[in-house]
Amino acid sequence: MGISMIKRYIFGNPIETDAVLSKPEVCAWSNDRLCFRENALECELEEDEIVYGLGQNVRGINKRGWIYESNCTDDPQHTESKHSLYGAHNFVLLDGEKKLGIFVDTPSKVVFDIGYTDYNRMRIALQTPDFELYLIEGESLGGIIKEFRRLIGRSYIPPRWAFGYGQSRWGYRSAEDIREVVKNYRDNQIPLDSVYLDIDYMERYKDFTVNEETFPDFEKFVAEMKGQGIHLVPIIDGGVKEEAGYDVYEEGREKGYFCKDEDGKDFVLGVWPGRCCLPDMLNEEAGRWFGRKYKILLDQGIDGFWNDMNEPAIFYSERGLAEVFEKIDQYRNRNLDINSFFAFRDLAEHISNNPKDYASFYHNYKGKRYCHEDVHNLFGYYMTRSAAEAFDELSPEKRILLFSRASYIGMHRYGGIWQGDNNSWWSHLLLNIRMMPSLNMCGFLYTGADIGGFGADATEDLLIRWLSFGVFTPLMRNHSALGTRLQEAYQFGNIDLMRDVIGVRYKLLPYLYSEFMKAALRDEMMFKPLGFVYGDDRIAKHVEDQLLLGDEIMIAPVYEQNAVGRTVYFPEPMKLIRFRGGEVQEEEVYTKGYSYVDMALGDVCVFLKENHILPLADGGQSIAEVDFDHLKLHFYGDHVRPYEYYTDDGEGRDYDPDRFIKMLEA
Ligand code: GLC
């Protein structure tokens, strides 16, 4: 991989984020590529230079030609016109004559103008003059990533069952609803390992409560589901309902654990339950207190969670509400003309996630008071870290599933992320594909998008094509929003195709788990852009819709409606392995160059490199049924290299590669 070198610089007096684990010595600032002026780092970009990185954000794998923000944002419209999503991942990787990784470590907003104002320049503008900067030079892209990942620490490892297929929907209201979902999956013999509990399982949307009317005897219900091979995964929200007598609220208030407003009173914001307070996740003691609350659900047999609304999302503040009501009054009895009508109509539009609100409350972080806007990007990170650190104590032997919506680099050590509220759009399937390697660069390995799309109505073909890609993503979850078309795999006419496609996941599992674990333990990427391996191939470098998955295979998903196949670029000879109708077919070897490959709806195709091995299992209805020991090896070529197969019990927290990796020979 060649040698990589990290240099660390400090500007001003930065706020510590805990993104970096072991810090190298500080260097005096001087650099022949980047210049620092007016709170911004600037550099020229070469004509053909690719800029990778930024983890969770809109647009392509190559980030060039747009302006992006690192500013955790709750915005369900992931259109090209946007600049930020839920995560803040301030890492870019320049792939030009020389390769350079850049990590700007600061908890407030950063704007990356990557060839937007001027196609040949990059400008990284900071909200603050106080930040840490890490520059990583190296000969290979993979080498730089490895060095960066060593710096920020090992990625989170979930239990193996969390690699099974999961069903979710905002709108499952009762244990009966959940039983019905599971019954439909089992009756149709579509594999399933988990069902997610969205906000409706709670009593009036209160964290760590269960609605006893709709979910009577929850502990027994959790056990009943386990008996059917199903893990239930409840949601936990960032805001705590303000309600007299609700113990979590009362305790938080008495102990002073909530974020404060300017006057030192508990800051109040509106989210699902109405008025809420925000636990000060950044405060060690408050975080520890909040993390220990997960025990309430762990004690009832729960072993996985998803943390939501932790940008944090603010529907409204008291200030914002008052402002809107006051303005509405000013329009009463007026003749609303073109200007005033639109102004009137937009009055409530900016009430949610308003920067004024983010500037109006405070944290007590590492012994100092900070305005939220200065540490904004750390909220989801510390919420998830609080839970993970509690799990270390509460469940030292067994891994717990945990993923979050908001994140910052560093959070990847404590949990995964899902890609937020996408839509049932073909373009969002493509966005999902493109985000995988960018997230992997920043340490987020356990990730996936809402398969089938969260908002809007899914069609059968979209769901099938999305599942045909989703079978590869570590988090494979079908999730949809309240009010949208029902999207469980059995809701559509072609159940056979759904069963076959989801079934592919269970054949691939030994390989996927093994590649995931090696990527985590070796600080590598599970999903790589082609340019990471075929850097000398100018065509490969610019491919935006194919990925390398581990070291053995390439994937090229279909993401267009009514397509019956697609053009694939082969950077070297590869053999097509096609999953169709529950069978695995070895097909032709494609030579280097472009080829059109037929891919009917329901086909899952992988392309195997010459002299490499793809191990496959027989499959099963859940992970427990998958035989990880007896695998069928697919390979071709005269000098097949052994496959390094990682397998463990899937539960314990010991990941010693010497014990768990064995060589599979052709
Ligand atoms: C947020 C989440 C979404 C969830 C909804 C209701 O929008 O991102 O996944 O279904 O809240 O809890």
Side-chain angles (χ1 to χ4, degrees):
M1 275 204 184
I3 296 164
S4 305
M5 209 179 57
I6 295 200
K7 286 195 170 160
R8 169 175 171 231
Y9 307 92
I10 294 189
F11 293 78
N13 188 14
I15 301 173
E16 177 59 60
T17 65
D18 284 4
V20 168
L21 278 186
S22 58
K23 300 197 170 192
E25 287 293 302
V26 181
C27 305
W29 174 245
S30 92
N31 193 275
D32 42 17
R33 177 107 204 246
L34 289 171
C35 102
F36 180 67
R37 58 168 171 251
E38 294 168 7
N39 274 6
L41 292 157
E42 288 185 54
C43 73
E44 306 262 320
L45 295 174
E46 291 156 23
E47 200 185 321
D48 207 16
E49 188 154 9
I50 292 178
V51 182
Y52 292 106
L54 293 183
Q56 186 182 30
N57 217 313
V58 294
R59 300 204 173 212
I61 296 177
N62 183 355
K63 292 293 175 205
R64 200 152 165 188
W66 189 238
I67 191 159
Y68 304 87
E69 287 177 3
S70 269
N71 187 39
C72 297
T73 307
D74 164 33
D75 180 347
Q77 296 300 320
H78 308 173
T79 52
E80 270 181 50
S81 55
K82 297 299 167 67
H83 304 282
S84 54
L85 295 174
Y86 310 85
H89 306 144
N90 311 337
F91 174 76
V92 287
L93 175 54
L94 309 187
D95 180 14
E97 264 315 287
K98 285 195 176 156
K99 308 191 190 322
L100 179 67
I102 306 174
F103 172 44
V104 258
D105 190 11
T106 165
S108 57
K109 180 157 116 181
V110 185
V111 179
F112 295 81
D113 180 338
I114 306 181
Y116 168 75
T117 306
D118 172 347
Y119 193 72
N120 296 316
R121 286 189 78 77
M122 178 173 77
R123 185 164 191 274
I124 305 176
L126 293 111
Q127 179 178 300
T128 162
D130 306 307
F131 67 101
E132 292 203 28
L133 173 68
Y134 295 83
L135 297 182
I136 312 172
E137 285 174 15
E139 286 158 24
S140 74
L141 298 171
I144 293 178
I145 292 298
K146 207 174 168 87
E147 207 56 46
F148 175 53
R149 297 269 300 284
R150 271 197 200 130
L151 187 76
I152 58 175
R154 196 189 72 204
S155 299
Y156 162 75
I157 296 174
R160 194 172 62 190
W161 63 260
F163 287 79
Y165 173 63
Q167 179 62 56
S168 184
R169 179 166 173 90
W170 175 12
Y172 296 152
R173 298 197 167 271
S174 61
E176 267 323 302
D177 282 359
I178 308 282
R179 283 192 185 99
E180 200 187 309
V181 171
V182 174
K183 184 173 183 313
N184 276 310
Y185 269 96
R186 293 286 183 244
D187 285 354
N188 285 297
Q189 291 180 315
I190 307 172
L192 186 71
D193 271 279
S194 52
V195 177
Y196 288 74
L197 302 180
D198 207 322
I199 45 176
D200 301 297
Y201 80 90
M202 294 183 244
E203 184 194 298
R204 293 192 295 285
Y205 311 120
K206 292 186 307 195
D207 277 344
F208 312 112
T209 67
V210 174
N211 185 328
E212 284 173 15
E213 273 169 35
T214 46
F215 287 87
D217 204 343
F218 190 63
E219 191 173 345
K220 213 166 133 210
F221 177 56
V222 175
E224 174 194 324
M225 287 294 120
K226 279 257 167 78
Q228 299 192 36
I230 300 294
H231 296 258
L232 295 178
V233 186
I235 195 169
I236 305 290
D237 282 330
V240 165
K241 185 176 193 322
E242 183 199 74
E243 185 183 280
Y246 165 37
D247 53 352
V248 180
Y249 168 70
E250 297 276 12
E251 266 175 55
R253 189 176 54 91
E254 272 157 33
K255 300 211 164 106
Y257 288 154
F258 294 131
C259 291
K260 303 283 182 257
D261 66 14
E262 255 134 46
D263 306 325
K265 292 203 296 269
D266 290 344
F267 173 70
V268 175
L269 71 161
V271 209
W272 305 119
R275 292 164 60 92
C276 287
C277 289
L278 281 178
D280 188 352
M281 306 291 182
L282 280 68
N283 177 261
E284 217 181 314
E285 202 184 315
R288 194 179 140 74
W289 164 76
F290 192 80
R292 298 288 300 197
K293 292 289 169 209
Y294 287 73
K295 184 171 189 298
I296 297 171
L297 290 157
L298 288 176
D299 285 349
Q300 300 182 67
I302 291 294
D303 49 11
F305 300 88
W306 46 313
N307 282 347
D308 191 21
M309 306 297 274
N310 50 8
E311 293 70 32
I314 301 181
F315 289 174
Y316 58 83
S317 67
E318 293 182 306
R319 179 206 62 77
L321 268 189
E323 196 178 290
V324 172
F325 282 125
E326 196 187 300
K327 285 197 179 144
I328 282 183
D329 267 344
Q330 294 168 9
Y331 287 87
R332 207 187 290 278
N333 303 328
R334 261 176 73 178
N335 171 22
L336 297 180
D337 63 8
I338 175 171
N339 297 322
S340 52
F341 170 69
F342 289 119
F344 170 73
R345 204 185 56 177
D346 295 347
L347 272 181
E349 196 183 311
H350 301 294
I351 196 168
S352 295
N353 308 323
N354 190 305
K356 277 194 208 155
D357 292 329
Y358 289 121
S360 74
F361 66 94
Y362 296 84
H363 295 270
N364 179 351
Y365 178 49
K366 296 192 190 280
K368 275 170 91 174
R369 181 174 180 261
Y370 290 101
C371 178
H372 177 78
E373 68 175 349
D374 295 327
V375 289
H376 173 71
N377 289 335
L378 298 183
F379 193 86
Y381 167 12
Y382 275 96
M383 176 183 182
T384 300
R385 178 170 171 171
S386 302
E389 288 180 342
F391 300 157
D392 289 345
E393 287 172 33
L394 300 168
S395 177
E397 309 289 334
K398 245 180 68 184
R399 303 173 217 168
I400 302 291
L401 169 62
L402 179 63
F403 60 92
S404 170
R405 196 170 70 175
S407 60
Y408 182 75
I409 288 174
M411 201 209 84
H412 70 288
R413 299 194 296 270
Y414 304 99
I417 58 170
W418 90 99
Q419 293 165 17
D421 297 347
N422 58 7
N423 274 293
S424 299
W425 297 343
W426 292 87
S427 60
H428 279 182
L429 165 53
L430 180 58
L431 186 64
N432 182 190
I433 297 167
R434 290 175 169 167
M435 228 188 289
M436 295 305 290
S438 309
L439 282 168
N440 278 195
M441 290 174 206
C442 300
F444 293 93
L445 296 182
Y446 189 76
T447 182
D450 288 350
I451 292 174
F454 175 73
D457 293 334
T459 56
E460 178 177 87
D461 57 347
L462 176 68
L463 181 59
I464 292 175
R465 290 296 192 190
W466 209 321
L467 285 166
S468 305
F469 170 65
V471 294
F472 301 111
T473 62
L475 168 63
M476 183 191 180
R477 179 180 79 143
N478 175 338
H479 181 48
S480 54
L482 190 69
T484 59
R485 181 179 187 181
L486 296 175
Q487 194 174 293
E488 294 80 12
Y490 52 80
Q491 300 287 2
F492 298 89
N494 208 333
I495 291 184
D496 290 345
L497 284 193
M498 300 281 181
R499 178 189 310 115
D500 292 345
V501 172
I502 296 170
V504 173
R505 169 67 157 208
Y506 291 76
K507 294 184 171 28
L508 282 169
L509 265 164
Y511 178 68
L512 294 177
Y513 185 67
S514 170
E515 290 305 311
F516 178 94
M517 292 301 293
K518 286 187 291 179
L521 298 175
R522 294 171 177 171
D523 299 317
E524 288 172 2
M525 290 157 68
M526 181 176 172
F527 291 88
K528 290 190 230 52
L530 271 51
F532 272 57
V533 172
Y534 308 98
D536 296 333
D537 178 338
R538 191 159 180 269
I539 300 176
K541 275 178 78 165
H542 290 94
V543 169
E544 285 268 336
D545 59 358
Q546 300 173 205
L547 299 172
L548 297 164
L549 198 190
D551 285 336
E552 326 294 308
I553 62 173
M554 180 178 82
I555 55 174
V558 171
Y559 52 87
E560 275 171 358
Q561 190 158 29
N562 300 319
V564 291
R566 55 163 287 178
T567 302
V568 178
Y569 181 70
F570 292 93
E572 62 169 300
M574 292 183 187
K575 180 177 205 143
L576 165 58
I577 301 201
R578 187 192 301 275
F579 298 84
R580 174 183 278 177
E583 304 294 324
V584 187
Q585 294 162 210
E586 287 196 19
E587 297 188 12
E588 64 181 289
V589 176
Y590 290 88
T591 51
K592 183 176 156 81
Y594 283 107
S595 288
Y596 184 85
V597 181
D598 291 325
M599 297 183 196
L601 193 65
D603 285 1
V604 178
C605 294
V606 307
F607 303 97
L608 176 62
K609 293 192 207 168
E610 190 173 357
N611 292 322
H612 286 249
I613 295 179
L614 175 65
L616 294 178
D618 274 348
Q621 286 291 299
S622 69
I623 295 237
E625 286 185 12
V626 175
D627 183 347
F628 284 80
D629 296 326
H630 298 96
L631 306 174
K632 169 130 199 327
L633 307 185
H634 293 262
F635 54 84
Y636 79 105
D638 299 329
H639 307 282
V640 181
R641 57 168 218 181
Y643 176 66
E644 283 186 285
Y645 178 49
Y646 180 101
T647 182
D648 60 16
D649 69 358
E651 273 195 356
R653 288 167 177 260
D654 168 18
Y655 315 107
D656 183 2
D658 291 339
R659 271 183 57 207
F660 298 122
I661 291 189
K662 49 185 183 223
M663 304 308 277
L664 303 182
E665 313 258 352

